[in-house]
Every structure is written in structure tokens, then in C-alpha cells.
Amino acid sequence: MEGGEPDLAERLRAGARAALAEAYDLHHDALRTFARRLVGDPLEAEDLVHETFLALPRAMRSFRGDAPLRTFLVGIAANLARHHVRAASRRRALHARSSEGEATPVPTPEGNTQRRELAEALVRALDELPFEQRVAIVLCEIEEMTSAEAARITGAPEATVRTRIFHAKKKLREILSTRGVR
Amino acid sequence: MSTERDILDDAFAALREETRASSDAAATATRARLLLAATQRRRRTVLLRVLVPIAAVLAVSSAWAAANGRWPTFSSGPSETHETTRVPHRATDVPPVVAPVASSAPVAFASVAPSVAPRPSASEAIDREEMLYRAGHEAQFVTHDFGGALAAWDVYLAKHPRGRFAPEARYNRAIALLRLGRRDEARTVLRPFADGNTGGYRQKEAKELLDALDGD
């Protein structure tokens, strides 16, 4: 709906409630997916989605239309995500501590279980990264954006984004290896 | 034998796939919550846009009057009323209600923007809790989106398991489950109400519902 985006952008700037509903209907799915990947907790991710769209009308003052609205939304979410990531990370750490010593079931050979466990292991490893590296990894390696797109979203130079990814991947490999993830 | 690089790529792919599915119910609940919050924010903005100029005019008038010794008199008596200090202020345009009406006919509750406290608190945490509750209420009793309502009650109860509206949220959740045809789950949720574990709240209704369910 590229042709309609300038009109939607104007209506969002004007604070039209219907425009906010329309923006939500168009982009909530993609934003929710990004939020879940970044935060690693569905409840906190849902709060982040809510907060992002709530911030959208005011944020539209700086929207120039040189990138899709969806990209702009991801940028807002990335900026707002810090305390959600922190809250989710604390919850995971607490859960991990309270689960220590509990017998864990032997994983079944089912692909979904292995995939879920690997995803969970990665989310816990992402908790060890500085926030900026986490964002860079999620944008480039999981959302599969280019470093140029990630740079535009984060407001950092492209070289900085690539450096963050380099250091983040190195650290993630070490963490996964230490934890015996195969 | 996987290399370390493969493990990382596999992990990225795993997280990508695990987070791909979206929850329609959660999306609906968040949409309701968002539009409600946007409406409330707009009301506050409009209120401020009206009050701030009034306050400014009154402040300037008072200062001018004080400087010129010309306080306005609004009565013929010697005592003057400083009308300028009485700036009309309402934190909300919603009539106060002491407790939310958690029933299938929430006319008093839904006929106005829901308010569940005698005077809204300035605390952001309380506002957020209230908004979460309202999202569920709107989904269940206004738009009759029981899937969305269920998701909203789950969100509220996950965040506020012992919140101010937790009993109401749990009961409403049971009703939503019933409406979705999830009878066994509804029974489980209704049982504590029927047993009087919620201080008698909705005990009679829960017993009647369980009797009806058991009779089917």
C-alpha cells in the first residue's frame, strides 16, 4: 500500500485515531514478530508493540517518508525496547535460578522441540550481550536486514553496525559453546 | 558434525521460526488497549489545551490586578472571592464507580468509558493496570471478541496476578472460555468461585454455571 502511505502518514501526524488503527492493522504482525525476536518474551513483546504504536503519532514528526513506515516502526520499537529486554532478561534469569536442580525431561527427537530449545538457548545467550549488539544481531541475522537498513533503523553508522555484529557473533559462539549447545 | 558457525546459523534460524507465528487473540487485545489509551491521551491533551490558556489568562489578570490594586469583586460584601484561584479541574470526565461490574450485562460499566476507581490515581502503574483491565472488558462486553478478551485477561493476570481486579478478571476469563466452547477449562476456573474461595464473589453465579455445565 505504498501509494497510501503518505496519506496515512499525514493522518497519523494529525493524530487521527482511525489512522492509528489502520497503521496497527497493517504493521502489527511484522512488528510483533520483531518484538518477540528482540525481547524473547511474548508478554513483554506485546507491551512493546503497544508502546510503539502509542508513540507513533508523536514520532511521526520526524518521519520523512524516505523509508517505509514499517521500518520506521521497527526503529521506534528498537529505541523503546531497552527496559522490556531488561525485564524479560531478569525474568529468565530468575526462572533459570529457580529451576536449578529440577529434573529436566529428556528432549524428544522431534524437530520442533530441538528448534525451540535452540531458540531458547540463543535468547539466553542474547541476554549476555550489550543492548546495541543484541539489536544489531536481531536486525541483521534474524530479521535478515542489511547492515545499511539496520544502520538507518538504529541511527548508527553502517560500519558500527557491522562491528557490533562481529563482536556479538563471537561472544554468542563462546556462550553457546560453553553451555554445550550443539 | 556441526561447526560452531553452523550452530549459530541454526540458532538464528530456530529463533526466526519460533517467533514467526502470531497470536490473533493477543493482537486483538493489544489493538483494543492501544485505541483506548490513544482516546484517553487525546482527551487529556484537549483538556490541557483548554485549561492551560485559561490558567495563563487568569494568572496574567491576577498579576495585573495585583499590580494595579484592582481585584475584581464578585459580591457586594466586603469579603472578596478570589475566583481566579478556582481553576476548574477534572481529572476525568467519567463518573466514578467503586468497582468494576464484571457481569454479562455491564450497562453501568460500558455505557461510559470505564472507570473503576473513585478518583483516578496519578500513578502510572495504576493507570497501566486499569488500561489492561479495560482492554479485556472492551473486548468481552463491547466488541464481544471472546478470543481477544481471553488473551487480554491472560495478559492482565500475568502482569497483575494479585491486582485490584484479579477476581473480576478471572471470573470474566471463565465466561470467555465458556463462550469459546472451552467448557472443561471454564469449569476449572469457576470451581474456586463456586467453593467460596474468592470471598463469596460470584459464588452463586459460578455454582449455577457449574450445575448447568454438569447437567449437559
Side-chain angles (χ1 to χ4, degrees), chain A residues 104-139:
Chain A
T104 52
V106 175
T108 68
E110 270 197 23
N112 279 352
T113 305
Q114 287 177 333
R115 187 180 73 190
R116 185 167 54 244
E117 286 178 353
L118 190 50
E120 285 169 3
L122 177 61
V123 167
R124 286 194 298 274
L126 285 169
D127 286 344
E128 306 291 322
L129 297 181
F131 180 72
E132 291 75 15
Q133 287 182 10
R134 183 189 190 119
V135 173
I137 280 287
V138 169
L139 286 174

PDB file of all heavy atoms in Angstrom, chain A residues 104-139:
ATOM      1  N   THR A 104      15.151 -32.269  34.330  1.00  0.00           N
ATOM      2  CA  THR A 104      14.618 -31.827  33.045  1.00  0.00           C
ATOM      3  C   THR A 104      14.323 -33.050  32.188  1.00  0.00           C
ATOM      4  O   THR A 104      15.086 -34.015  32.201  1.00  0.00           O
ATOM      5  CB  THR A 104      15.623 -30.927  32.308  1.00  0.00           C
ATOM      6  OG1 THR A 104      16.871 -31.594  32.256  1.00  0.00           O
ATOM      7  CG2 THR A 104      15.798 -29.623  33.040  1.00  0.00           C
ATOM      8  N   PRO A 105      13.228 -33.003  31.481  1.00  0.00           N
ATOM      9  CA  PRO A 105      12.869 -34.171  30.681  1.00  0.00           C
ATOM     10  C   PRO A 105      13.854 -34.371  29.546  1.00  0.00           C
ATOM     11  O   PRO A 105      14.450 -33.414  29.058  1.00  0.00           O
ATOM     12  CB  PRO A 105      11.480 -33.825  30.144  1.00  0.00           C
ATOM     13  CG  PRO A 105      11.403 -32.343  30.206  1.00  0.00           C
ATOM     14  CD  PRO A 105      12.279 -31.917  31.325  1.00  0.00           C
ATOM     15  N   VAL A 106      14.046 -35.590  29.160  1.00  0.00           N
ATOM     16  CA  VAL A 106      14.929 -35.888  28.023  1.00  0.00           C
ATOM     17  C   VAL A 106      14.255 -35.361  26.760  1.00  0.00           C
ATOM     18  O   VAL A 106      13.093 -35.637  26.521  1.00  0.00           O
ATOM     19  CB  VAL A 106      15.146 -37.415  27.891  1.00  0.00           C
ATOM     20  CG1 VAL A 106      15.951 -37.721  26.640  1.00  0.00           C
ATOM     21  CG2 VAL A 106      15.840 -37.952  29.123  1.00  0.00           C
ATOM     22  N   PRO A 107      14.946 -34.529  25.995  1.00  0.00           N
ATOM     23  CA  PRO A 107      14.297 -33.967  24.816  1.00  0.00           C
ATOM     24  C   PRO A 107      13.941 -35.055  23.815  1.00  0.00           C
ATOM     25  O   PRO A 107      14.693 -36.007  23.643  1.00  0.00           O
ATOM     26  CB  PRO A 107      15.346 -33.019  24.225  1.00  0.00           C
ATOM     27  CG  PRO A 107      16.592 -33.258  24.952  1.00  0.00           C
ATOM     28  CD  PRO A 107      16.319 -34.067  26.174  1.00  0.00           C
ATOM     29  N   THR A 108      12.777 -34.960  23.250  1.00  0.00           N
ATOM     30  CA  THR A 108      12.363 -35.919  22.229  1.00  0.00           C
ATOM     31  C   THR A 108      13.072 -35.588  20.937  1.00  0.00           C
ATOM     32  O   THR A 108      13.557 -34.472  20.751  1.00  0.00           O
ATOM     33  CB  THR A 108      10.848 -35.832  22.013  1.00  0.00           C
ATOM     34  OG1 THR A 108      10.562 -34.557  21.413  1.00  0.00           O
ATOM     35  CG2 THR A 108      10.110 -35.926  23.330  1.00  0.00           C
ATOM     36  N   PRO A 109      13.173 -36.524  20.037  1.00  0.00           N
ATOM     37  CA  PRO A 109      13.857 -36.246  18.783  1.00  0.00           C
ATOM     38  C   PRO A 109      13.046 -35.356  17.854  1.00  0.00           C
ATOM     39  O   PRO A 109      13.489 -35.027  16.783  1.00  0.00           O
ATOM     40  CB  PRO A 109      14.059 -37.631  18.165  1.00  0.00           C
ATOM     41  CG  PRO A 109      13.036 -38.491  18.789  1.00  0.00           C
ATOM     42  CD  PRO A 109      12.751 -37.924  20.136  1.00  0.00           C
ATOM     43  N   GLU A 110      11.848 -34.959  18.273  1.00  0.00           N
ATOM     44  CA  GLU A 110      11.015 -34.117  17.418  1.00  0.00           C
ATOM     45  C   GLU A 110      11.730 -32.826  17.068  1.00  0.00           C
ATOM     46  O   GLU A 110      12.298 -32.170  17.937  1.00  0.00           O
ATOM     47  CB  GLU A 110       9.724 -33.774  18.149  1.00  0.00           C
ATOM     48  CG  GLU A 110       8.631 -34.781  17.893  1.00  0.00           C
ATOM     49  CD  GLU A 110       7.281 -34.193  18.291  1.00  0.00           C
ATOM     50  OE1 GLU A 110       7.162 -32.974  18.326  1.00  0.00           O
ATOM     51  OE2 GLU A 110       6.396 -35.007  18.585  1.00  0.00           O
ATOM     52  N   GLY A 111      11.647 -32.447  15.805  1.00  0.00           N
ATOM     53  CA  GLY A 111      12.337 -31.251  15.330  1.00  0.00           C
ATOM     54  C   GLY A 111      11.900 -30.001  16.060  1.00  0.00           C
ATOM     55  O   GLY A 111      12.716 -29.130  16.362  1.00  0.00           O
ATOM     56  N   ASN A 112      10.583 -29.912  16.357  1.00  0.00           N
ATOM     57  CA  ASN A 112      10.087 -28.695  16.995  1.00  0.00           C
ATOM     58  C   ASN A 112      10.679 -28.492  18.372  1.00  0.00           C
ATOM     59  O   ASN A 112      10.960 -27.361  18.762  1.00  0.00           O
ATOM     60  CB  ASN A 112       8.561 -28.746  17.103  1.00  0.00           C
ATOM     61  CG  ASN A 112       7.924 -28.346  15.782  1.00  0.00           C
ATOM     62  OD1 ASN A 112       8.639 -27.899  14.886  1.00  0.00           O
ATOM     63  ND2 ASN A 112       6.627 -28.499  15.661  1.00  0.00           N
ATOM     64  N   THR A 113      10.849 -29.572  19.123  1.00  0.00           N
ATOM     65  CA  THR A 113      11.409 -29.438  20.471  1.00  0.00           C
ATOM     66  C   THR A 113      12.847 -28.962  20.392  1.00  0.00           C
ATOM     67  O   THR A 113      13.255 -28.076  21.131  1.00  0.00           O
ATOM     68  CB  THR A 113      11.348 -30.788  21.208  1.00  0.00           C
ATOM     69  OG1 THR A 113      10.003 -31.246  21.192  1.00  0.00           O
ATOM     70  CG2 THR A 113      11.811 -30.647  22.632  1.00  0.00           C
ATOM     71  N   GLN A 114      13.614 -29.561  19.491  1.00  0.00           N
ATOM     72  CA  GLN A 114      15.019 -29.167  19.359  1.00  0.00           C
ATOM     73  C   GLN A 114      15.122 -27.720  18.908  1.00  0.00           C
ATOM     74  O   GLN A 114      15.960 -26.958  19.407  1.00  0.00           O
ATOM     75  CB  GLN A 114      15.721 -30.071  18.340  1.00  0.00           C
ATOM     76  CG  GLN A 114      15.972 -31.475  18.861  1.00  0.00           C
ATOM     77  CD  GLN A 114      16.604 -32.373  17.818  1.00  0.00           C
ATOM     78  OE1 GLN A 114      16.428 -32.162  16.624  1.00  0.00           O
ATOM     79  NE2 GLN A 114      17.307 -33.386  18.273  1.00  0.00           N
ATOM     80  N   ARG A 115      14.247 -27.358  17.973  1.00  0.00           N
ATOM     81  CA  ARG A 115      14.287 -25.991  17.470  1.00  0.00           C
ATOM     82  C   ARG A 115      13.942 -25.015  18.589  1.00  0.00           C
ATOM     83  O   ARG A 115      14.595 -23.975  18.753  1.00  0.00           O
ATOM     84  CB  ARG A 115      13.290 -25.835  16.319  1.00  0.00           C
ATOM     85  CG  ARG A 115      13.370 -24.500  15.611  1.00  0.00           C
ATOM     86  CD  ARG A 115      12.364 -24.410  14.509  1.00  0.00           C
ATOM     87  NE  ARG A 115      11.012 -24.253  15.011  1.00  0.00           N
ATOM     88  CZ  ARG A 115       9.924 -24.349  14.240  1.00  0.00           C
ATOM     89  NH1 ARG A 115      10.045 -24.622  12.953  1.00  0.00           N
ATOM     90  NH2 ARG A 115       8.727 -24.184  14.751  1.00  0.00           N
ATOM     91  N   ARG A 116      12.942 -25.366  19.390  1.00  0.00           N
ATOM     92  CA  ARG A 116      12.541 -24.484  20.486  1.00  0.00           C
ATOM     93  C   ARG A 116      13.667 -24.346  21.500  1.00  0.00           C
ATOM     94  O   ARG A 116      13.965 -23.263  21.984  1.00  0.00           O
ATOM     95  CB  ARG A 116      11.272 -25.007  21.149  1.00  0.00           C
ATOM     96  CG  ARG A 116      10.724 -24.081  22.237  1.00  0.00           C
ATOM     97  CD  ARG A 116       9.299 -24.445  22.656  1.00  0.00           C
ATOM     98  NE  ARG A 116       9.168 -25.827  23.061  1.00  0.00           N
ATOM     99  CZ  ARG A 116       8.433 -26.725  22.435  1.00  0.00           C
ATOM    100  NH1 ARG A 116       7.759 -26.418  21.348  1.00  0.00           N
ATOM    101  NH2 ARG A 116       8.370 -27.963  22.871  1.00  0.00           N
ATOM    102  N   GLU A 117      14.313 -25.447  21.806  1.00  0.00           N
ATOM    103  CA  GLU A 117      15.403 -25.393  22.801  1.00  0.00           C
ATOM    104  C   GLU A 117      16.572 -24.573  22.279  1.00  0.00           C
ATOM    105  O   GLU A 117      17.194 -23.813  23.034  1.00  0.00           O
ATOM    106  CB  GLU A 117      15.857 -26.820  23.138  1.00  0.00           C
ATOM    107  CG  GLU A 117      14.843 -27.540  24.019  1.00  0.00           C
ATOM    108  CD  GLU A 117      15.244 -28.972  24.322  1.00  0.00           C
ATOM    109  OE1 GLU A 117      16.233 -29.451  23.744  1.00  0.00           O
ATOM    110  OE2 GLU A 117      14.548 -29.593  25.137  1.00  0.00           O
ATOM    111  N   LEU A 118      16.859 -24.715  20.999  1.00  0.00           N
ATOM    112  CA  LEU A 118      17.951 -23.935  20.416  1.00  0.00           C
ATOM    113  C   LEU A 118      17.607 -22.452  20.429  1.00  0.00           C
ATOM    114  O   LEU A 118      18.443 -21.611  20.759  1.00  0.00           O
ATOM    115  CB  LEU A 118      18.210 -24.425  18.978  1.00  0.00           C
ATOM    116  CG  LEU A 118      19.452 -23.910  18.259  1.00  0.00           C
ATOM    117  CD1 LEU A 118      20.698 -24.075  19.116  1.00  0.00           C
ATOM    118  CD2 LEU A 118      19.626 -24.637  16.925  1.00  0.00           C
ATOM    119  N   ALA A 119      16.343 -22.147  20.090  1.00  0.00           N
ATOM    120  CA  ALA A 119      15.909 -20.746  20.124  1.00  0.00           C
ATOM    121  C   ALA A 119      16.013 -20.193  21.541  1.00  0.00           C
ATOM    122  O   ALA A 119      16.461 -19.064  21.746  1.00  0.00           O
ATOM    123  CB  ALA A 119      14.475 -20.634  19.602  1.00  0.00           C
ATOM    124  N   GLU A 120      15.597 -20.994  22.518  1.00  0.00           N
ATOM    125  CA  GLU A 120      15.664 -20.533  23.916  1.00  0.00           C
ATOM    126  C   GLU A 120      17.112 -20.331  24.348  1.00  0.00           C
ATOM    127  O   GLU A 120      17.427 -19.382  25.071  1.00  0.00           O
ATOM    128  CB  GLU A 120      14.969 -21.554  24.838  1.00  0.00           C
ATOM    129  CG  GLU A 120      13.448 -21.495  24.749  1.00  0.00           C
ATOM    130  CD  GLU A 120      12.768 -22.677  25.439  1.00  0.00           C
ATOM    131  OE1 GLU A 120      13.481 -23.511  26.033  1.00  0.00           O
ATOM    132  OE2 GLU A 120      11.533 -22.760  25.367  1.00  0.00           O
ATOM    133  N   ALA A 121      17.982 -21.233  23.904  1.00  0.00           N
ATOM    134  CA  ALA A 121      19.402 -21.092  24.251  1.00  0.00           C
ATOM    135  C   ALA A 121      19.962 -19.805  23.658  1.00  0.00           C
ATOM    136  O   ALA A 121      20.739 -19.095  24.304  1.00  0.00           O
ATOM    137  CB  ALA A 121      20.183 -22.305  23.747  1.00  0.00           C
ATOM    138  N   LEU A 122      19.543 -19.491  22.431  1.00  0.00           N
ATOM    139  CA  LEU A 122      20.022 -18.264  21.810  1.00  0.00           C
ATOM    140  C   LEU A 122      19.507 -17.039  22.546  1.00  0.00           C
ATOM    141  O   LEU A 122      20.237 -16.080  22.771  1.00  0.00           O
ATOM    142  CB  LEU A 122      19.593 -18.221  20.335  1.00  0.00           C
ATOM    143  CG  LEU A 122      19.981 -16.949  19.580  1.00  0.00           C
ATOM    144  CD1 LEU A 122      21.500 -16.771  19.557  1.00  0.00           C
ATOM    145  CD2 LEU A 122      19.446 -16.967  18.152  1.00  0.00           C
ATOM    146  N   VAL A 123      18.234 -17.068  22.930  1.00  0.00           N
ATOM    147  CA  VAL A 123      17.660 -15.924  23.658  1.00  0.00           C
ATOM    148  C   VAL A 123      18.417 -15.691  24.966  1.00  0.00           C
ATOM    149  O   VAL A 123      18.737 -14.559  25.325  1.00  0.00           O
ATOM    150  CB  VAL A 123      16.155 -16.163  23.937  1.00  0.00           C
ATOM    151  CG1 VAL A 123      15.619 -15.163  24.956  1.00  0.00           C
ATOM    152  CG2 VAL A 123      15.358 -16.055  22.639  1.00  0.00           C
ATOM    153  N   ARG A 124      18.744 -16.782  25.665  1.00  0.00           N
ATOM    154  CA  ARG A 124      19.502 -16.627  26.926  1.00  0.00           C
ATOM    155  C   ARG A 124      20.904 -16.094  26.631  1.00  0.00           C
ATOM    156  O   ARG A 124      21.443 -15.291  27.392  1.00  0.00           O
ATOM    157  CB  ARG A 124      19.575 -17.961  27.663  1.00  0.00           C
ATOM    158  CG  ARG A 124      18.256 -18.358  28.329  1.00  0.00           C
ATOM    159  CD  ARG A 124      18.470 -19.491  29.323  1.00  0.00           C
ATOM    160  NE  ARG A 124      18.968 -20.699  28.689  1.00  0.00           N
ATOM    161  CZ  ARG A 124      18.196 -21.633  28.125  1.00  0.00           C
ATOM    162  NH1 ARG A 124      16.885 -21.496  28.109  1.00  0.00           N
ATOM    163  NH2 ARG A 124      18.740 -22.704  27.576  1.00  0.00           N
ATOM    164  N   ALA A 125      21.475 -16.517  25.521  1.00  0.00           N
ATOM    165  CA  ALA A 125      22.806 -16.009  25.158  1.00  0.00           C
ATOM    166  C   ALA A 125      22.731 -14.532  24.776  1.00  0.00           C
ATOM    167  O   ALA A 125      23.623 -13.746  25.110  1.00  0.00           O
ATOM    168  CB  ALA A 125      23.387 -16.830  24.000  1.00  0.00           C
ATOM    169  N   LEU A 126      21.654 -14.148  24.098  1.00  0.00           N
ATOM    170  CA  LEU A 126      21.487 -12.737  23.729  1.00  0.00           C
ATOM    171  C   LEU A 126      21.406 -11.848  24.965  1.00  0.00           C
ATOM    172  O   LEU A 126      21.804 -10.684  24.927  1.00  0.00           O
ATOM    173  CB  LEU A 126      20.211 -12.558  22.884  1.00  0.00           C
ATOM    174  CG  LEU A 126      20.277 -13.042  21.434  1.00  0.00           C
ATOM    175  CD1 LEU A 126      18.894 -13.056  20.801  1.00  0.00           C
ATOM    176  CD2 LEU A 126      21.209 -12.165  20.602  1.00  0.00           C
ATOM    177  N   ASP A 127      20.906 -12.424  26.072  1.00  0.00           N
ATOM    178  CA  ASP A 127      20.825 -11.656  27.325  1.00  0.00           C
ATOM    179  C   ASP A 127      22.207 -11.224  27.806  1.00  0.00           C
ATOM    180  O   ASP A 127      22.319 -10.282  28.597  1.00  0.00           O
ATOM    181  CB  ASP A 127      20.149 -12.495  28.419  1.00  0.00           C
ATOM    182  CG  ASP A 127      18.648 -12.624  28.209  1.00  0.00           C
ATOM    183  OD1 ASP A 127      18.097 -11.836  27.418  1.00  0.00           O
ATOM    184  OD2 ASP A 127      18.041 -13.516  28.845  1.00  0.00           O
ATOM    185  N   GLU A 128      23.250 -11.924  27.354  1.00  0.00           N
ATOM    186  CA  GLU A 128      24.607 -11.589  27.811  1.00  0.00           C
ATOM    187  C   GLU A 128      25.227 -10.463  26.990  1.00  0.00           C
ATOM    188  O   GLU A 128      26.303  -9.966  27.327  1.00  0.00           O
ATOM    189  CB  GLU A 128      25.524 -12.823  27.680  1.00  0.00           C
ATOM    190  CG  GLU A 128      25.012 -14.066  28.377  1.00  0.00           C
ATOM    191  CD  GLU A 128      25.026 -13.947  29.882  1.00  0.00           C
ATOM    192  OE1 GLU A 128      25.974 -13.344  30.418  1.00  0.00           O
ATOM    193  OE2 GLU A 128      24.077 -14.437  30.525  1.00  0.00           O
ATOM    194  N   LEU A 129      24.571 -10.083  25.910  1.00  0.00           N
ATOM    195  CA  LEU A 129      25.145  -9.063  25.039  1.00  0.00           C
ATOM    196  C   LEU A 129      24.725  -7.665  25.480  1.00  0.00           C
ATOM    197  O   LEU A 129      23.637  -7.496  26.027  1.00  0.00           O
ATOM    198  CB  LEU A 129      24.658  -9.264  23.587  1.00  0.00           C
ATOM    199  CG  LEU A 129      25.036 -10.553  22.861  1.00  0.00           C
ATOM    200  CD1 LEU A 129      24.463 -10.515  21.452  1.00  0.00           C
ATOM    201  CD2 LEU A 129      26.545 -10.720  22.806  1.00  0.00           C
ATOM    202  N   PRO A 130      25.563  -6.664  25.191  1.00  0.00           N
ATOM    203  CA  PRO A 130      25.093  -5.284  25.353  1.00  0.00           C
ATOM    204  C   PRO A 130      23.892  -5.057  24.440  1.00  0.00           C
ATOM    205  O   PRO A 130      23.768  -5.699  23.381  1.00  0.00           O
ATOM    206  CB  PRO A 130      26.287  -4.437  24.890  1.00  0.00           C
ATOM    207  CG  PRO A 130      27.466  -5.347  24.941  1.00  0.00           C
ATOM    208  CD  PRO A 130      26.951  -6.737  24.722  1.00  0.00           C
ATOM    209  N   PHE A 131      23.025  -4.146  24.852  1.00  0.00           N
ATOM    210  CA  PHE A 131      21.769  -3.946  24.147  1.00  0.00           C
ATOM    211  C   PHE A 131      21.976  -3.638  22.654  1.00  0.00           C
ATOM    212  O   PHE A 131      21.284  -4.173  21.790  1.00  0.00           O
ATOM    213  CB  PHE A 131      20.978  -2.822  24.823  1.00  0.00           C
ATOM    214  CG  PHE A 131      19.651  -2.544  24.170  1.00  0.00           C
ATOM    215  CD1 PHE A 131      18.594  -3.442  24.291  1.00  0.00           C
ATOM    216  CD2 PHE A 131      19.458  -1.390  23.423  1.00  0.00           C
ATOM    217  CE1 PHE A 131      17.379  -3.196  23.684  1.00  0.00           C
ATOM    218  CE2 PHE A 131      18.244  -1.133  22.823  1.00  0.00           C
ATOM    219  CZ  PHE A 131      17.197  -2.032  22.948  1.00  0.00           C
ATOM    220  N   GLU A 132      22.963  -2.764  22.355  1.00  0.00           N
ATOM    221  CA  GLU A 132      23.161  -2.359  20.963  1.00  0.00           C
ATOM    222  C   GLU A 132      23.574  -3.556  20.097  1.00  0.00           C
ATOM    223  O   GLU A 132      23.169  -3.664  18.934  1.00  0.00           O
ATOM    224  CB  GLU A 132      24.241  -1.268  20.866  1.00  0.00           C
ATOM    225  CG  GLU A 132      23.843   0.086  21.455  1.00  0.00           C
ATOM    226  CD  GLU A 132      23.864   0.108  22.971  1.00  0.00           C
ATOM    227  OE1 GLU A 132      24.454  -0.804  23.595  1.00  0.00           O
ATOM    228  OE2 GLU A 132      23.281   1.036  23.559  1.00  0.00           O
ATOM    229  N   GLN A 133      24.390  -4.447  20.659  1.00  0.00           N
ATOM    230  CA  GLN A 133      24.797  -5.631  19.897  1.00  0.00           C
ATOM    231  C   GLN A 133      23.595  -6.549  19.688  1.00  0.00           C
ATOM    232  O   GLN A 133      23.435  -7.150  18.627  1.00  0.00           O
ATOM    233  CB  GLN A 133      25.915  -6.384  20.626  1.00  0.00           C
ATOM    234  CG  GLN A 133      27.259  -5.690  20.576  1.00  0.00           C
ATOM    235  CD  GLN A 133      28.352  -6.495  21.264  1.00  0.00           C
ATOM    236  OE1 GLN A 133      28.176  -7.649  21.635  1.00  0.00           O
ATOM    237  NE2 GLN A 133      29.517  -5.867  21.457  1.00  0.00           N
ATOM    238  N   ARG A 134      22.776  -6.669  20.713  1.00  0.00           N
ATOM    239  CA  ARG A 134      21.580  -7.505  20.605  1.00  0.00           C
ATOM    240  C   ARG A 134      20.690  -7.003  19.479  1.00  0.00           C
ATOM    241  O   ARG A 134      20.189  -7.784  18.659  1.00  0.00           O
ATOM    242  CB  ARG A 134      20.831  -7.460  21.938  1.00  0.00           C
ATOM    243  CG  ARG A 134      19.615  -8.343  21.993  1.00  0.00           C
ATOM    244  CD  ARG A 134      18.817  -8.069  23.243  1.00  0.00           C
ATOM    245  NE  ARG A 134      17.788  -9.091  23.407  1.00  0.00           N
ATOM    246  CZ  ARG A 134      17.707  -9.921  24.445  1.00  0.00           C
ATOM    247  NH1 ARG A 134      18.594  -9.845  25.412  1.00  0.00           N
ATOM    248  NH2 ARG A 134      16.742 -10.821  24.513  1.00  0.00           N
ATOM    249  N   VAL A 135      20.465  -5.694  19.441  1.00  0.00           N
ATOM    250  CA  VAL A 135      19.612  -5.119  18.399  1.00  0.00           C
ATOM    251  C   VAL A 135      20.207  -5.394  17.016  1.00  0.00           C
ATOM    252  O   VAL A 135      19.501  -5.798  16.084  1.00  0.00           O
ATOM    253  CB  VAL A 135      19.442  -3.597  18.618  1.00  0.00           C
ATOM    254  CG1 VAL A 135      18.709  -2.970  17.446  1.00  0.00           C
ATOM    255  CG2 VAL A 135      18.676  -3.329  19.904  1.00  0.00           C
ATOM    256  N   ALA A 136      21.517  -5.196  16.898  1.00  0.00           N
ATOM    257  CA  ALA A 136      22.172  -5.404  15.602  1.00  0.00           C
ATOM    258  C   ALA A 136      22.017  -6.858  15.132  1.00  0.00           C
ATOM    259  O   ALA A 136      21.706  -7.133  13.972  1.00  0.00           O
ATOM    260  CB  ALA A 136      23.655  -5.022  15.709  1.00  0.00           C
ATOM    261  N   ILE A 137      22.217  -7.788  16.055  1.00  0.00           N
ATOM    262  CA  ILE A 137      22.104  -9.213  15.704  1.00  0.00           C
ATOM    263  C   ILE A 137      20.678  -9.546  15.287  1.00  0.00           C
ATOM    264  O   ILE A 137      20.438 -10.241  14.287  1.00  0.00           O
ATOM    265  CB  ILE A 137      22.527 -10.085  16.903  1.00  0.00           C
ATOM    266  CG1 ILE A 137      24.058 -10.174  16.990  1.00  0.00           C
ATOM    267  CG2 ILE A 137      21.919 -11.472  16.837  1.00  0.00           C
ATOM    268  CD1 ILE A 137      24.695 -11.054  15.934  1.00  0.00           C
ATOM    269  N   VAL A 138      19.720  -9.055  16.041  1.00  0.00           N
ATOM    270  CA  VAL A 138      18.321  -9.384  15.720  1.00  0.00           C
ATOM    271  C   VAL A 138      17.939  -8.789  14.363  1.00  0.00           C
ATOM    272  O   VAL A 138      17.299  -9.447  13.540  1.00  0.00           O
ATOM    273  CB  VAL A 138      17.377  -8.881  16.835  1.00  0.00           C
ATOM    274  CG1 VAL A 138      15.927  -8.976  16.401  1.00  0.00           C
ATOM    275  CG2 VAL A 138      17.594  -9.686  18.104  1.00  0.00           C
ATOM    276  N   LEU A 139      18.366  -7.550  14.120  1.00  0.00           N
ATOM    277  CA  LEU A 139      18.000  -6.918  12.852  1.00  0.00           C
ATOM    278  C   LEU A 139      18.643  -7.633  11.663  1.00  0.00           C
ATOM    279  O   LEU A 139      17.986  -7.899  10.649  1.00  0.00           O
ATOM    280  CB  LEU A 139      18.423  -5.446  12.868  1.00  0.00           C
ATOM    281  CG  LEU A 139      17.567  -4.507  13.734  1.00  0.00           C
ATOM    282  CD1 LEU A 139      18.190  -3.120  13.776  1.00  0.00           C
ATOM    283  CD2 LEU A 139      16.143  -4.432  13.220  1.00  0.00           C
TER     284      LEU A 139
END
